[in-house]
Amino acid sequence: MKAHRAILIRLPRDRCNVDYIKRLTALTSLAYRGFEVWVPDLPKTIQHHLYGFRNFKGSLVFGTVPKRWFASTWVPLKTLRFYPDGSRKGGRYAPVVLDFKSSAIKLYQVCRNERGYVVEVPMPRWVVDRLSEGGDVKYAMIGLKDDEPYLALIAEREVEPYIPSDYMLAIDVNAWNNGIAWGLIKSSKLVKWKPERPRLREIDGLYYRSVVLSQKYGKLKRLGLHKTKEGKGLWREVRRLRRRIYAKLRDYAQRLAHRLVRKALRHRALVIIDDIIEESRRELLEGKLPSGLRKIYLAETRRFVKLLIAQLEWYGVPYRFKRLPSTICPICHHELTQLPGRIMVCGNCGFKAPRDKVPMYWVLKLRCKMIEPEDEDCPHR
Ligand SMILES: [Zn+2]
């Protein structure tokens, strides 16, 4: 099985011609749709490159669902790699050269339409780490994100998922206000359970400050004064605050995904994921929160799942998606009633647990169906 991971590297804007990159992405977009347009003033190698990729429809670059942050028009580029031991791989005319000996990445003719034009950026630690894990960077892409030039590197690695031990790691993905709960299960016991949340007070604080400022801005707008220095300043501050909220959540999602993957690796666990964010959405709607905050609490949760999957696959951690309801009794399947403090109780059999822990009981109940039959704790299957 081939596993992939990607990284985005910001390119120096002063060394890149944004209009040129825009043009390349437009041509790529046409190539995607099966058109071939030969532009007289573009280097032939770059154009050959673009249409050459059409023969790689099954490859990572063409014909697969692009990652969210890669617009479908990013320009696919081959790479030439010079490894630390002196060996090398890749095409001679590859526009991206990864030189591990001098720890530099060189981009040929994709940043500016000028003969022999090279942009050099330092090799990120990330690439060296992937290489040390047996990965290789065969493909790269160049494109624009928020009008800034970026290089995306895609590491590829051949990997077989390991045979899980008697550990399971259950991950229940909710909106951020309730967080992402994980439970470590060994044989038929729940060893550890924990809901993980970002610093909500900080997120809420930033959100409410942005609300106050945008109300002030609204007042100015009604008076027709929003184009004044004060109005513009307010708007900038609102946008800055929003960006900070999303950056914080993104960063948190990234760190949490990494931590959970490490945990799974340490125990050679089988990972069970419940990513039904719909249930969280409903719960949020019932919670009478302002709609802006609801949106924030759901932001980056999908991305968390994507990051998690990418890393689980990269390290060969076996995983499965499983619906783990938190409103149905895992003992007798009755509907659970919610008490204050998000405690769930069953009116039928008396089962009682915190809402975020209920999914873990479901894993305990279902685990015999999810693992190998040799397990001695699962005699009646
Ligand atoms: Zn029950």
Side-chain angles (χ1 to χ4, degrees):
M1 194 182 91
K2 278 193 173 69
H4 297 106
R5 283 181 76 180
I7 189 181
L8 280 181
I9 302 161
R10 197 170 175 161
L11 297 171
R13 204 193 157 96
D14 55 323
R15 306 234 39 219
C16 295
N17 183 341
V18 169
D19 288 332
Y20 176 58
I21 295 172
K22 233 180 232 163
R23 228 176 131 197
L24 291 178
T25 58
L27 287 171
T28 309
S29 173
L30 287 172
Y32 250 109
R33 292 178 196 130
F35 296 103
E36 226 171 86
V37 182
W38 293 87
V39 189
D41 67 328
L42 281 187
K44 276 278 178 307
T45 47
I46 297 298
Q47 299 200 67
H48 275 294
H49 201 82
L50 220 60
Y51 300 115
F53 263 103
R54 284 209 313 219
N55 305 327
F56 293 82
K57 282 238 160 100
S59 82
L60 179 75
V61 182
F62 272 93
T64 52
V65 184
K67 294 243 186 300
R68 196 181 65 135
W69 59 88
F70 304 155
S72 59
T73 50
W74 280 45
V75 187
L77 306 167
K78 284 181 199 169
T79 65
L80 169 61
R81 289 90 69 199
F82 290 99
Y83 300 109
D85 65 359
S87 65
R88 72 177 193 186
K89 258 190 206 161
R92 256 182 77 202
Y93 297 107
V96 178
V97 175
L98 302 172
D99 190 341
F100 290 99
K101 272 156 96 184
S102 62
S103 278
I105 301 173
K106 286 174 201 145
L107 298 164
Y108 288 92
Q109 299 222 317
V110 284
C111 289
R112 192 173 286 175
N113 192 5
E114 207 178 286
R115 236 172 200 296
Y117 187 75
V118 190
V119 168
E120 193 174 318
V121 287
M123 181 80 72
R125 175 87 226 154
W126 185 94
V127 181
V128 180
D129 286 346
R130 298 295 83 82
L131 196 75
S132 70
E133 288 163 351
D136 198 2
V137 180
K138 286 188 193 163
Y139 302 111
M141 291 197 232
I142 194 169
L144 300 172
K145 183 176 168 256
D146 303 328
D147 233 22
E148 292 291 330
Y150 279 90
L151 177 74
L153 295 179
I154 299 109
E156 186 177 280
R157 181 190 180 207
E158 196 62 48
V159 58
E160 280 309 316
Y162 58 67
I163 305 291
S165 65
D166 52 352
Y167 276 96
M168 275 188 186
L169 180 67
I171 300 173
D172 184 44
V173 183
N174 300 298
W176 292 118
N177 55 331
N178 297 321
I180 287 164
W182 60 266
L184 189 66
I185 289 147
K186 187 178 194 283
S187 299
S188 52
K189 281 181 202 71
L190 182 61
V191 181
K192 207 173 171 197
W193 163 79
K194 200 178 168 209
E196 305 270 1
R197 294 183 191 96
R199 276 195 226 143
L200 288 177
R201 273 175 63 183
E202 207 178 337
I203 302 286
D204 290 6
L206 290 168
Y207 168 75
Y208 285 113
R209 216 158 84 218
S210 82
V211 169
V212 169
L213 294 181
S214 67
Q215 279 166 351
K216 265 191 198 166
Y217 177 78
K219 259 183 211 160
L220 286 180
K221 198 170 179 182
R222 279 191 294 280
L223 294 168
L225 295 172
H226 59 293
K227 296 275 193 222
T228 57
K229 196 177 163 204
E230 194 195 353
K232 280 183 185 163
L234 274 172
W235 186 236
R236 253 203 310 280
E237 182 63 12
V238 169
R239 295 221 346 227
R240 196 186 63 85
L241 286 170
R242 301 241 163 109
R243 269 203 305 275
R244 252 183 83 191
I245 294 174
Y246 286 100
K248 271 187 192 298
L249 290 176
R250 212 161 33 236
D251 186 52
Y252 183 78
Q254 197 135 17
R255 274 185 292 129
L256 183 59
H258 183 73
R259 198 144 55 80
L260 291 175
V261 171
R262 292 270 144 209
K263 201 182 290 294
L265 273 174
R266 214 161 39 240
H267 298 286
R268 294 183 76 78
L270 169 67
V271 174
I272 309 294
I273 306 162
D274 184 3
D275 74 333
I276 302 296
I277 296 165
E278 260 327 291
E279 193 179 306
S280 305
R281 200 186 295 272
R282 269 200 305 280
E283 204 191 342
L284 273 175
L285 281 170
E286 288 157 14
K288 297 187 189 72
L289 281 168
S291 70
L293 203 52
R294 272 208 301 269
K295 204 173 134 205
I296 285 168
Y297 285 162
L298 283 169
E300 311 290 339
T301 46
R302 289 251 168 258
R303 194 180 134 94
F304 167 79
V305 177
K306 275 189 191 163
L307 283 170
L308 185 67
I309 298 305
Q311 290 193 30
L312 290 173
E313 286 181 354
W314 180 264
Y315 292 108
V317 179
Y319 67 92
R320 245 170 257 181
F321 283 97
K322 191 88 199 163
R323 183 79 192 91
L324 305 167
S326 59
T327 54
I328 298 168
C329 177
I331 312 293
C332 71
H333 295 213
H334 254 253
E335 186 96 14
L336 295 171
T337 319
Q338 184 160 331
L339 300 180
R342 298 181 85 241
I343 299 290
M344 306 304 276
V345 286
C346 175
N348 188 47
C349 74
F351 171 84
K352 191 174 175 186
R355 183 163 175 155
D356 298 322
K357 206 170 179 175
V358 178
M360 308 306 149
Y361 289 103
W362 273 104
V363 176
L364 286 175
K365 188 183 166 75
L366 298 171
R367 66 173 272 286
C368 287
K369 289 189 185 140
M370 297 191 280
I371 52 172
E372 298 300 317
E374 296 92 65
D375 195 301
E376 49 197 37
D377 291 332
C378 300
H380 315 291
R381 280 151 39 86

